[in-house]
Amino acid sequence: MSGGPDTHDTAVERLTPVVRRLILLRHGQTEYNATSRMQGQLDTDLSDLGVRQAHSAAVALAKRRPKAIWSSDLKRARDTAEALAQRTGLTVRTDVRLRETHLGEWQGMTHHEVDAAMPGARVVWRDDATWPPPGGESRVDVAKRSTPLVDELIEMFPDWGVGDNPEAPVVLVAHGGVIAAMTAALLGLPVDNWPVFGGLANTSWVQLSGHGVPGAAPRWRLDVWNASAEDADPAVQ
């Protein structure tokens, strides 16, 4: 005999589609960005413009009433996240897995210095997600360390995508390289196609939507790439 109404209602509830909004926000400008210098995991500060950008992004994203804010532990990302936290009343939680790509021997060098030392290497790095700078990480490496956090957040927030504000996003504040790697990996793109994403401007963001049902892994879709508040500058390549 089939189950009664309560059993049927429970089954329907399990199959009700859920959409989880995920925003990946790049930090504000630093002096390294302004001077085309490779930062990687060097811990740099926001410039004056970067501070203004962080506040502009916070004004825009606070209207979305975020569910939670996670950040890279590097200061430029953490300070950008704190600007949003001040407007929302949320607490920023940090995770080292959201750090920028480790650029190995390139960290601290300008683009021109890298090109002089290793002609053509930056082109290879841009076009091949499996290729790491000397002593550094590839984008595939970065995706492997960072994307498990998203699975953990889904488990941590069973009401993500439901409840009184189902559109409330989880915001991850990070860096251009890790955001591009996470986006490509979550979308399940073939690795050869990962370089299709252009650079993100400072304090620009990506929005992904995870479609699925409770208890099952979502299928991620790209809603927005490189959205920004008014003070954002063009991406530094």
Side-chain angles (χ1 to χ4, degrees):
M1 178 181 266
S2 61
D6 290 344
T7 305
H8 176 73
D9 290 346
T10 301
V12 170
E13 184 177 342
R14 284 200 304 267
L15 295 174
T16 301
V18 174
V19 181
R20 301 173 178 92
R21 309 296 183 188
L22 177 66
I23 289 178
L24 308 175
L25 172 65
R26 189 186 177 204
H27 61 81
Q29 187 207 63
T30 68
E31 292 302 329
Y32 272 53
N33 294 142
T35 56
S36 298
R37 191 172 292 276
M38 312 286 275
Q39 289 175 107
Q41 293 189 5
L42 298 178
D43 204 5
T44 55
D45 291 310
L46 296 177
S47 64
D48 290 343
L49 173 59
V51 171
R52 295 197 301 273
Q53 290 173 335
H55 285 288
S56 293
V59 170
L61 293 177
K63 296 174 184 176
R64 301 285 302 276
R65 294 165 56 202
K67 186 172 195 62
I69 305 170
W70 249 255
S71 175
S72 158
D73 65 329
L74 297 179
K75 194 170 187 298
R76 59 190 184 272
R78 196 171 67 248
D79 288 351
T80 302
E82 287 292 351
L84 178 57
Q86 289 171 12
R87 287 195 165 265
T88 60
L90 296 171
T91 299
V92 176
R93 305 191 204 184
T94 60
D95 196 304
V96 297
R97 292 174 292 180
L98 292 175
R99 284 186 177 187
E100 181 58 294
T101 310
H102 196 296
L103 296 177
E105 295 176 10
W106 293 0
Q107 293 191 162
M109 298 174 69
T110 66
H111 294 182
H112 293 306
E113 289 168 343
V114 173
D115 292 343
M118 298 183 65
R122 281 200 310 124
V123 174
V124 175
W125 174 57
R126 293 291 185 193
D127 291 344
D128 184 352
T130 69
W131 193 88
E137 296 178 292
S138 70
R139 267 166 288 172
V140 170
D141 295 329
V142 173
K144 286 179 179 177
R145 67 161 155 89
S146 59
T147 53
L149 174 60
V150 178
D151 295 330
E152 293 167 19
L153 292 171
I154 290 171
E155 299 231 351
M156 189 178 301
F157 297 112
D159 61 343
W160 187 4
V162 298
D164 294 337
N165 185 16
E167 292 292 318
V170 171
V171 179
L172 306 184
V173 185
H175 311 264
V178 68
I179 291 173
M182 290 181 74
T183 299
L186 290 172
L187 293 175
L189 296 183
V191 173
D192 286 350
N193 292 342
W194 285 21
V196 298
F197 292 114
L200 278 176
N202 290 114
T203 59
S204 286
W205 61 85
V206 175
Q207 179 177 297
L208 297 168
S209 291
H211 295 252
V213 295
R219 182 176 182 85
W220 293 98
R221 301 176 186 173
L222 179 64
D223 297 330
V224 172
W225 177 266
N226 217 12
S228 65
E230 59 188 45
D231 282 331
D233 275 355
V236 176
Q237 299 297 322

mmCIF file of all heavy atoms in Angstrom, residues 166-205:
data_model
loop_
_atom_site.group_PDB
_atom_site.id
_atom_site.type_symbol
_atom_site.label_atom_id
_atom_site.label_comp_id
_atom_site.label_asym_id
_atom_site.label_seq_id
_atom_site.Cartn_x
_atom_site.Cartn_y
_atom_site.Cartn_z
ATOM 1 N N PRO A 166 14.795 33.468 -0.353
ATOM 2 C CA PRO A 166 15.483 32.427 -1.137
ATOM 3 C C PRO A 166 16.516 32.966 -2.109
ATOM 4 O O PRO A 166 17.389 32.219 -2.563
ATOM 5 C CB PRO A 166 14.335 31.726 -1.880
ATOM 6 C CG PRO A 166 13.235 32.735 -1.918
ATOM 7 C CD PRO A 166 13.347 33.514 -0.642
ATOM 8 N N GLU A 167 16.448 34.259 -2.434
ATOM 9 C CA GLU A 167 17.410 34.857 -3.360
ATOM 10 C C GLU A 167 18.693 35.304 -2.661
ATOM 11 O O GLU A 167 19.628 35.766 -3.312
ATOM 12 C CB GLU A 167 16.774 36.061 -4.072
ATOM 13 C CG GLU A 167 15.656 35.692 -5.023
ATOM 14 C CD GLU A 167 16.157 34.916 -6.226
ATOM 15 O OE1 GLU A 167 17.217 35.276 -6.776
ATOM 16 O OE2 GLU A 167 15.491 33.950 -6.620
ATOM 17 N N ALA A 168 18.736 35.179 -1.324
ATOM 18 C CA ALA A 168 19.910 35.647 -0.583
ATOM 19 C C ALA A 168 21.153 34.887 -1.010
ATOM 20 O O ALA A 168 21.204 33.656 -0.906
ATOM 21 C CB ALA A 168 19.674 35.472 0.914
ATOM 22 N N PRO A 169 22.183 35.591 -1.484
ATOM 23 C CA PRO A 169 23.393 34.897 -1.931
ATOM 24 C C PRO A 169 24.373 34.659 -0.796
ATOM 25 O O PRO A 169 24.382 35.371 0.204
ATOM 26 C CB PRO A 169 24.002 35.877 -2.937
ATOM 27 C CG PRO A 169 23.630 37.234 -2.375
ATOM 28 C CD PRO A 169 22.267 37.050 -1.746
ATOM 29 N N VAL A 170 25.197 33.659 -0.959
ATOM 30 C CA VAL A 170 26.430 33.543 -0.192
ATOM 31 C C VAL A 170 27.496 34.282 -1.000
ATOM 32 O O VAL A 170 27.612 34.081 -2.216
ATOM 33 C CB VAL A 170 26.827 32.078 0.031
ATOM 34 C CG1 VAL A 170 28.228 31.975 0.631
ATOM 35 C CG2 VAL A 170 25.811 31.383 0.939
ATOM 36 N N VAL A 171 28.251 35.150 -0.345
ATOM 37 C CA VAL A 171 29.275 35.953 -1.029
ATOM 38 C C VAL A 171 30.657 35.460 -0.618
ATOM 39 O O VAL A 171 30.968 35.373 0.572
ATOM 40 C CB VAL A 171 29.127 37.455 -0.668
ATOM 41 C CG1 VAL A 171 30.219 38.271 -1.374
ATOM 42 C CG2 VAL A 171 27.744 37.967 -1.066
ATOM 43 N N LEU A 172 31.468 35.142 -1.604
ATOM 44 C CA LEU A 172 32.866 34.783 -1.385
ATOM 45 C C LEU A 172 33.726 35.908 -1.951
ATOM 46 O O LEU A 172 33.629 36.226 -3.138
ATOM 47 C CB LEU A 172 33.218 33.464 -2.084
ATOM 48 C CG LEU A 172 32.343 32.245 -1.781
ATOM 49 C CD1 LEU A 172 32.901 31.005 -2.482
ATOM 50 C CD2 LEU A 172 32.220 32.013 -0.286
ATOM 51 N N VAL A 173 34.548 36.508 -1.121
ATOM 52 C CA VAL A 173 35.409 37.612 -1.553
ATOM 53 C C VAL A 173 36.814 37.058 -1.756
ATOM 54 O O VAL A 173 37.418 36.524 -0.823
ATOM 55 C CB VAL A 173 35.418 38.753 -0.521
ATOM 56 C CG1 VAL A 173 36.224 39.934 -1.066
ATOM 57 C CG2 VAL A 173 33.990 39.187 -0.189
ATOM 58 N N ALA A 174 37.308 37.178 -2.962
ATOM 59 C CA ALA A 174 38.563 36.503 -3.292
ATOM 60 C C ALA A 174 39.344 37.313 -4.324
ATOM 61 O O ALA A 174 39.404 38.542 -4.244
ATOM 62 C CB ALA A 174 38.274 35.080 -3.769
ATOM 63 N N HIS A 175 39.910 36.657 -5.305
ATOM 64 C CA HIS A 175 40.891 37.235 -6.233
ATOM 65 C C HIS A 175 40.545 36.780 -7.653
ATOM 66 O O HIS A 175 39.907 35.732 -7.847
ATOM 67 C CB HIS A 175 42.288 36.775 -5.852
ATOM 68 C CG HIS A 175 42.593 36.947 -4.397
ATOM 69 N ND1 HIS A 175 43.255 38.051 -3.896
ATOM 70 C CD2 HIS A 175 42.313 36.166 -3.323
ATOM 71 C CE1 HIS A 175 43.362 37.939 -2.579
ATOM 72 N NE2 HIS A 175 42.798 36.795 -2.211
ATOM 73 N N GLY A 176 41.013 37.548 -8.635
ATOM 74 C CA GLY A 176 40.645 37.264 -10.014
ATOM 75 C C GLY A 176 40.964 35.861 -10.470
ATOM 76 O O GLY A 176 40.141 35.191 -11.111
ATOM 77 N N GLY A 177 42.171 35.370 -10.152
ATOM 78 C CA GLY A 177 42.571 34.043 -10.615
ATOM 79 C C GLY A 177 41.757 32.928 -10.001
ATOM 80 O O GLY A 177 41.305 32.010 -10.700
ATOM 81 N N VAL A 178 41.550 33.001 -8.686
ATOM 82 C CA VAL A 178 40.798 31.938 -8.023
ATOM 83 C C VAL A 178 39.329 31.990 -8.427
ATOM 84 O O VAL A 178 38.684 30.939 -8.589
ATOM 85 C CB VAL A 178 40.970 31.994 -6.484
ATOM 86 C CG1 VAL A 178 40.317 33.200 -5.876
ATOM 87 C CG2 VAL A 178 40.436 30.725 -5.827
ATOM 88 N N ILE A 179 38.780 33.170 -8.643
ATOM 89 C CA ILE A 179 37.385 33.277 -9.071
ATOM 90 C C ILE A 179 37.194 32.665 -10.456
ATOM 91 O O ILE A 179 36.232 31.931 -10.703
ATOM 92 C CB ILE A 179 36.915 34.740 -9.034
ATOM 93 C CG1 ILE A 179 36.817 35.218 -7.582
ATOM 94 C CG2 ILE A 179 35.579 34.905 -9.742
ATOM 95 C CD1 ILE A 179 36.513 36.698 -7.433
ATOM 96 N N ALA A 180 38.109 32.953 -11.380
ATOM 97 C CA ALA A 180 38.010 32.372 -12.720
ATOM 98 C C ALA A 180 38.123 30.849 -12.669
ATOM 99 O O ALA A 180 37.383 30.129 -13.349
ATOM 100 C CB ALA A 180 39.087 32.954 -13.627
ATOM 101 N N ALA A 181 39.048 30.348 -11.857
ATOM 102 C CA ALA A 181 39.234 28.904 -11.744
ATOM 103 C C ALA A 181 38.008 28.236 -11.124
ATOM 104 O O ALA A 181 37.541 27.190 -11.595
ATOM 105 C CB ALA A 181 40.482 28.598 -10.918
ATOM 106 N N MET A 182 37.482 28.819 -10.058
ATOM 107 C CA MET A 182 36.297 28.260 -9.417
ATOM 108 C C MET A 182 35.101 28.267 -10.356
ATOM 109 O O MET A 182 34.346 27.293 -10.427
ATOM 110 C CB MET A 182 35.958 29.053 -8.151
ATOM 111 C CG MET A 182 36.939 28.882 -7.018
ATOM 112 S SD MET A 182 36.468 29.831 -5.542
ATOM 113 C CE MET A 182 35.092 28.827 -4.939
ATOM 114 N N THR A 183 34.921 29.364 -11.082
ATOM 115 C CA THR A 183 33.791 29.463 -12.002
ATOM 116 C C THR A 183 33.850 28.373 -13.062
ATOM 117 O O THR A 183 32.866 27.669 -13.314
ATOM 118 C CB THR A 183 33.763 30.855 -12.662
ATOM 119 O OG1 THR A 183 33.613 31.857 -11.655
ATOM 120 C CG2 THR A 183 32.617 30.966 -13.649
ATOM 121 N N ALA A 184 35.010 28.224 -13.687
ATOM 122 C CA ALA A 184 35.155 27.208 -14.735
ATOM 123 C C ALA A 184 34.927 25.807 -14.185
ATOM 124 O O ALA A 184 34.258 24.971 -14.821
ATOM 125 C CB ALA A 184 36.542 27.315 -15.364
ATOM 126 N N ALA A 185 35.469 25.536 -12.999
ATOM 127 C CA ALA A 185 35.334 24.204 -12.422
ATOM 128 C C ALA A 185 33.893 23.907 -12.012
ATOM 129 O O ALA A 185 33.372 22.816 -12.258
ATOM 130 C CB ALA A 185 36.264 24.056 -11.222
ATOM 131 N N LEU A 186 33.234 24.878 -11.376
ATOM 132 C CA LEU A 186 31.851 24.657 -10.950
ATOM 133 C C LEU A 186 30.915 24.472 -12.136
ATOM 134 O O LEU A 186 29.944 23.704 -12.058
ATOM 135 C CB LEU A 186 31.376 25.823 -10.074
ATOM 136 C CG LEU A 186 32.024 25.914 -8.691
ATOM 137 C CD1 LEU A 186 31.626 27.222 -8.006
ATOM 138 C CD2 LEU A 186 31.630 24.725 -7.818
ATOM 139 N N LEU A 187 31.207 25.151 -13.237
ATOM 140 C CA LEU A 187 30.392 24.981 -14.445
ATOM 141 C C LEU A 187 30.691 23.686 -15.190
ATOM 142 O O LEU A 187 29.956 23.311 -16.101
ATOM 143 C CB LEU A 187 30.600 26.168 -15.392
ATOM 144 C CG LEU A 187 30.088 27.524 -14.901
ATOM 145 C CD1 LEU A 187 30.480 28.621 -15.878
ATOM 146 C CD2 LEU A 187 28.572 27.502 -14.706
ATOM 147 N N GLY A 188 31.762 23.016 -14.791
ATOM 148 C CA GLY A 188 32.122 21.760 -15.447
ATOM 149 C C GLY A 188 32.666 21.936 -16.851
ATOM 150 O O GLY A 188 32.544 21.029 -17.688
ATOM 151 N N LEU A 189 33.297 23.083 -17.120
ATOM 152 C CA LEU A 189 33.839 23.315 -18.462
ATOM 153 C C LEU A 189 35.053 22.419 -18.714
ATOM 154 O O LEU A 189 35.847 22.169 -17.797
ATOM 155 C CB LEU A 189 34.272 24.769 -18.614
ATOM 156 C CG LEU A 189 33.199 25.850 -18.539
ATOM 157 C CD1 LEU A 189 33.840 27.210 -18.784
ATOM 158 C CD2 LEU A 189 32.090 25.593 -19.540
ATOM 159 N N PRO A 190 35.233 21.963 -19.942
ATOM 160 C CA PRO A 190 36.486 21.271 -20.275
ATOM 161 C C PRO A 190 37.668 22.184 -19.981
ATOM 162 O O PRO A 190 37.609 23.396 -20.239
ATOM 163 C CB PRO A 190 36.351 21.002 -21.779
ATOM 164 C CG PRO A 190 34.887 21.065 -22.069
ATOM 165 C CD PRO A 190 34.321 22.064 -21.104
ATOM 166 N N VAL A 191 38.733 21.618 -19.451
ATOM 167 C CA VAL A 191 39.882 22.438 -19.036
ATOM 168 C C VAL A 191 40.438 23.268 -20.190
ATOM 169 O O VAL A 191 40.885 24.406 -19.994
ATOM 170 C CB VAL A 191 40.975 21.540 -18.417
ATOM 171 C CG1 VAL A 191 42.241 22.333 -18.130
ATOM 172 C CG2 VAL A 191 40.462 20.905 -17.126
ATOM 173 N N ASP A 192 40.386 22.752 -21.404
ATOM 174 C CA ASP A 192 40.877 23.514 -22.559
ATOM 175 C C ASP A 192 40.110 24.823 -22.750
ATOM 176 O O ASP A 192 40.627 25.757 -23.372
ATOM 177 C CB ASP A 192 40.760 22.681 -23.839
ATOM 178 C CG ASP A 192 41.812 21.590 -23.924
ATOM 179 O OD1 ASP A 192 42.751 21.598 -23.097
ATOM 180 O OD2 ASP A 192 41.701 20.724 -24.815
ATOM 181 N N ASN A 193 38.875 24.868 -22.218
ATOM 182 C CA ASN A 193 38.044 26.059 -22.410
ATOM 183 C C ASN A 193 38.101 27.043 -21.239
ATOM 184 O O ASN A 193 37.462 28.090 -21.288
ATOM 185 C CB ASN A 193 36.579 25.651 -22.635
ATOM 186 C CG ASN A 193 36.375 24.934 -23.947
ATOM 187 O OD1 ASN A 193 37.206 25.018 -24.844
ATOM 188 N ND2 ASN A 193 35.275 24.207 -24.073
ATOM 189 N N TRP A 194 38.852 26.725 -20.207
ATOM 190 C CA TRP A 194 38.888 27.616 -19.047
ATOM 191 C C TRP A 194 39.372 29.026 -19.377
ATOM 192 O O TRP A 194 38.897 29.992 -18.775
ATOM 193 C CB TRP A 194 39.756 27.004 -17.942
ATOM 194 C CG TRP A 194 39.098 25.871 -17.222
ATOM 195 C CD1 TRP A 194 38.064 25.095 -17.670
ATOM 196 C CD2 TRP A 194 39.418 25.393 -15.909
ATOM 197 N NE1 TRP A 194 37.726 24.150 -16.729
ATOM 198 C CE2 TRP A 194 38.541 24.308 -15.636
ATOM 199 C CE3 TRP A 194 40.360 25.752 -14.958
ATOM 200 C CZ2 TRP A 194 38.583 23.606 -14.447
ATOM 201 C CZ3 TRP A 194 40.414 25.053 -13.768
ATOM 202 C CH2 TRP A 194 39.530 23.988 -13.508
ATOM 203 N N PRO A 195 40.288 29.210 -20.339
ATOM 204 C CA PRO A 195 40.752 30.581 -20.617
ATOM 205 C C PRO A 195 39.714 31.485 -21.279
ATOM 206 O O PRO A 195 40.013 32.652 -21.557
ATOM 207 C CB PRO A 195 41.947 30.355 -21.559
ATOM 208 C CG PRO A 195 42.412 28.968 -21.257
ATOM 209 C CD PRO A 195 41.144 28.208 -21.001
ATOM 210 N N VAL A 196 38.484 30.984 -21.538
ATOM 211 C CA VAL A 196 37.480 31.840 -22.190
ATOM 212 C C VAL A 196 37.077 33.015 -21.305
ATOM 213 O O VAL A 196 36.596 34.035 -21.811
ATOM 214 C CB VAL A 196 36.205 31.054 -22.585
ATOM 215 C CG1 VAL A 196 36.547 29.960 -23.582
ATOM 216 C CG2 VAL A 196 35.482 30.496 -21.382
ATOM 217 N N PHE A 197 37.262 32.891 -19.996
ATOM 218 C CA PHE A 197 36.869 33.979 -19.112
ATOM 219 C C PHE A 197 37.939 35.070 -19.104
ATOM 220 O O PHE A 197 39.105 34.813 -18.844
ATOM 221 C CB PHE A 197 36.659 33.470 -17.681
ATOM 222 C CG PHE A 197 35.475 32.565 -17.544
ATOM 223 C CD1 PHE A 197 35.637 31.238 -17.215
ATOM 224 C CD2 PHE A 197 34.192 33.052 -17.764
ATOM 225 C CE1 PHE A 197 34.542 30.391 -17.098
ATOM 226 C CE2 PHE A 197 33.093 32.214 -17.664
ATOM 227 C CZ PHE A 197 33.268 30.886 -17.318
ATOM 228 N N GLY A 198 37.517 36.296 -19.399
ATOM 229 C CA GLY A 198 38.436 37.420 -19.356
ATOM 230 C C GLY A 198 38.717 37.845 -17.930
ATOM 231 O O GLY A 198 38.133 37.321 -16.969
ATOM 232 N N GLY A 199 39.595 38.824 -17.768
ATOM 233 C CA GLY A 199 39.947 39.289 -16.436
ATOM 234 C C GLY A 199 38.788 40.015 -15.761
ATOM 235 O O GLY A 199 37.962 40.658 -16.414
ATOM 236 N N LEU A 200 38.717 39.897 -14.448
ATOM 237 C CA LEU A 200 37.719 40.611 -13.654
ATOM 238 C C LEU A 200 38.280 41.951 -13.210
ATOM 239 O O LEU A 200 39.433 42.040 -12.771
ATOM 240 C CB LEU A 200 37.362 39.814 -12.398
ATOM 241 C CG LEU A 200 36.357 38.685 -12.505
ATOM 242 C CD1 LEU A 200 36.251 37.992 -11.147
ATOM 243 C CD2 LEU A 200 35.000 39.192 -12.944
ATOM 244 N N ALA A 201 37.469 42.995 -13.287
ATOM 245 C CA ALA A 201 37.872 44.285 -12.738
ATOM 246 C C ALA A 201 37.874 44.210 -11.214
ATOM 247 O O ALA A 201 37.213 43.354 -10.613
ATOM 248 C CB ALA A 201 36.906 45.369 -13.216
ATOM 249 N N ASN A 202 38.615 45.097 -10.584
ATOM 250 C CA ASN A 202 38.580 45.175 -9.131
ATOM 251 C C ASN A 202 37.159 45.477 -8.646
ATOM 252 O O ASN A 202 36.483 46.354 -9.191
ATOM 253 C CB ASN A 202 39.521 46.266 -8.631
ATOM 254 C CG ASN A 202 40.974 45.888 -8.818
ATOM 255 O OD1 ASN A 202 41.696 46.519 -9.596
ATOM 256 N ND2 ASN A 202 41.431 44.862 -8.123
ATOM 257 N N THR A 203 36.739 44.756 -7.622
ATOM 258 C CA THR A 203 35.389 44.783 -7.042
ATOM 259 C C THR A 203 34.287 44.468 -8.050
ATOM 260 O O THR A 203 33.134 44.828 -7.853
ATOM 261 C CB THR A 203 35.066 46.096 -6.291
ATOM 262 O OG1 THR A 203 35.178 47.219 -7.159
ATOM 263 C CG2 THR A 203 35.954 46.253 -5.075
ATOM 264 N N SER A 204 34.622 43.780 -9.124
ATOM 265 C CA SER A 204 33.593 43.188 -9.969
ATOM 266 C C SER A 204 33.259 41.817 -9.419
ATOM 267 O O SER A 204 34.029 41.230 -8.661
ATOM 268 C CB SER A 204 34.067 43.082 -11.419
ATOM 269 O OG SER A 204 34.061 44.345 -12.035
ATOM 270 N N TRP A 205 32.105 41.313 -9.814
ATOM 271 C CA TRP A 205 31.694 40.026 -9.271
ATOM 272 C C TRP A 205 31.076 39.124 -10.323
ATOM 273 O O TRP A 205 30.669 39.548 -11.405
ATOM 274 C CB TRP A 205 30.728 40.212 -8.105
ATOM 275 C CG TRP A 205 29.438 40.908 -8.400
ATOM 276 C CD1 TRP A 205 28.275 40.365 -8.878
ATOM 277 C CD2 TRP A 205 29.172 42.304 -8.210
ATOM 278 N NE1 TRP A 205 27.306 41.323 -9.000
ATOM 279 C CE2 TRP A 205 27.825 42.517 -8.589
ATOM 280 C CE3 TRP A 205 29.929 43.383 -7.751
ATOM 281 C CZ2 TRP A 205 27.230 43.786 -8.530
ATOM 282 C CZ3 TRP A 205 29.329 44.636 -7.692
ATOM 283 C CH2 TRP A 205 28.004 44.826 -8.085
#
